[in-house]
Amino acid sequence: MNKKILCFSAAAVLLMASCKEEKTTDETASSGEVAATYEAKGMSDEYDAKIDEIVSKMTLEEKVGMLHGYSMFTNQGVEHLGIPEVHMADGPLGVREEIERMSWKPAGRTDDFATFYPAGGGLSATWNPEMAATFGKSIGEESRARGKDILLAPAFNIVRTPVGGRTFEYLTEDPFLNKSLIVPYVVSLQEQDVAACIKHFAANNQETNRGTVDVQMDERTLREIYLPAFEAAITKAKAYSVMGAYNKFRGDFLCENSYMLQDVLRDEWGFKGIVISDWAAVHSTKKALEAGTDLEMGTNKPTFDDFYFAKPLLEAVKAGTVTEAEIDKHVKRTLKLLFAVKAMGDTAGRAKGSISTDAHFKDAYNIASESVVLLKNSENLLPLKTDGLKSIAVIGANATKTHAQGGFGAGVKTKHEITPLDALKAKLPSSVAINYAAGYKTEFKPRSEGKFGDVVQEVNVPINTLDPKMIAEAVAAAKKSDVAVLFVGANRDYETEASDRMDLSLPFGQQGLIDAVKAANPKTIVVFIAGAPYDLNKTEKENSTIVWSWYNGSEGGNALADVLLGKVNPSGKLPWTMPVKLEDSPAHATKSFPGGATEEYKEGILVGYRWFDTKNVTPLYPFGYGLSYTTFEFANAKADKKEYATDDTITVTVDVKNTGKTDGKEVVQLYASKTGGSKVTRANKELKGFTKALVKAGSTESVTIKVPVKELAYYDVATKKWTVESGTYTFKLGSSSRDIKGEVSVNIK
Ligand code: BGC
């Protein structure tokens, strides 16, 4: 029995601190227990009296200066009272480069390089909360080294449609996986004395019309699908700040939405931090401030004084339409955040951080190496056997493409990004000849030519014609090589903030290239590097070997090469469903996406695999899917008791046997189904726990998954309460949502 497994999944939460010391990346991580380990204390009230005193000395102008942007990424400080500017930076992929104070132009500095971390899809494909903690700590240290108080991350809106422009940046279609990763991320980030700004709150699930669309969904769907990770980030991880989204929800812009910002966020969840608007998401003064927005950023006005929370706010106070007490409330919250991150108060004790260090590149490598998903290996071409290998064709623009920058939105300026070709050159024996061909060009038509039912304003339309000369070079390289590896997929110009994709087709004519290379060399390995689902039907049908990687950070190429060469056994699992066709996905099957002025989430709670499983629609690759170079069998699935009360925690164990010849990690996934009917519509199955376990070749590990009975609750709209229905639940244990290998039934009193 692996002691480390016991440490994570069976020990009491109180013992967790000592377990944490021993962690290495080889260990086992379980969703529920690891998340419990990371429950944070939150902002202290220790400085409240001091804050009152400071505010009593401030002029109205000084107070108002703190509530709006005074450069692209700061507000205004009050020097004589020792209040610094709040320094913010994007974002999800690493600490963004510095830009000019008053424009989006790069500042041209030489000290703003950072580590590029795997984008959200890569992190979530690890299915490893420990990796999320590593991510949070590492990027937190970088934020501090760059002098930041708030990191505008993590971004984790639910992946509702596969074509969403920010799917690469967000984590998953599943609320449980989402919160299991977000809690350790936020806690570990904030332990570095930098605030998380969790975003985008909320229901910001599409880029099409994101600045105006009015999202409508029923309350149960909101609570069960779109809010759980936000709720956990506030109630468990105690995130210090929240970003108000661009869109409207039930008629009100999110930054003017008192239901979301006051009733839910503060009254129900006890949020004590600040709400920062997304950049230019504020549309009013009194309404936005009184609804709960604390800091207005990015508004597109001639000067910062023209922001809604600048001169117009001063005038509103003078005219008596906004009270000074209201202003004080927001100023005090901001000061509380500054004390919480030690930008005020115990400044000497503040974490100093470090940036672009070998340790951080190793963190990025560890995350990336657990994220690569093996989709197909039916001829065992992988791992590549280098013994006797004389030549390899490396084909495709993604063999040499870097992904730290691109498209609209935040990127990272990094000195260090290893491409797949760099890594293969360094790792293959020198006796192996590498025959490289780019294969296709990544070019776009001008934006104005993009059309999507006249609603998408900014579409990147790829040029899909292949260059015959490039194809001929690729075919020649494939023909003269023992094996061909194609690096295809997408890039960050094609998958980008501010526009959704028009369809799932592979851009730049790549399908033609895949077909031609496969015809030239039957030993072709197709590697996709992308952040969102694509149409892989033809590739799946005609190719034996398919690998999926992500915009995977500074060390993405090294991690991928190590998987291809067998140094790392792949253990990534898809964090969303790959549909056969777009119309199979719930937001499209119900014809609700992309909506118009209003977007009604007609599929309700049946998002992602919940829809596919409940409606019996077969996906191309299911949620949670991913193969390994070894095989696993599950046996003896059991629960510790037959019957449970609502406050109990159910302990499920299952023996996982590694039946192959390679050590490997398996993600044991637990899906719950209510048997024997329910008062409400239920999804066929819902993820309620998972554990990623390292199992040595030939050995068996007992894997534990803990399910607090409360996790089985549904949101009762009538009583406004989470309610656990009594009766029988079946727990399905699988290596994906569709590969169920064991079942356990439990009774809830
Ligand atoms: C994005 C945010 C980002 C902000 C500042 C907005 O366009 O939606 O995620 O933090 O810009 O760069």
Side-chain angles (χ1 to χ4, degrees), residues 73 90 96 104 152 166 199-200 210 243 246 278-279 408 497:
F73 284 94
D90 280 305
R96 185 183 191 158
W104 287 101
L152 305 170
R166 297 183 90 163
K199 67 189 191 185
H200 309 84
R210 68 172 178 174
M243 187 180 286
Y246 283 124
D278 201 339
W279 267 235
F408 183 98
E497 182 183 327

Side-chain angles (χ1 to χ4, degrees), residues 546-562:
I546 311 172
V547 175
W548 187 273
S549 187
W550 311 89
Y551 306 130
N552 233 354
S554 285
E555 284 282 320
N558 276 333
L560 182 53
D562 283 344

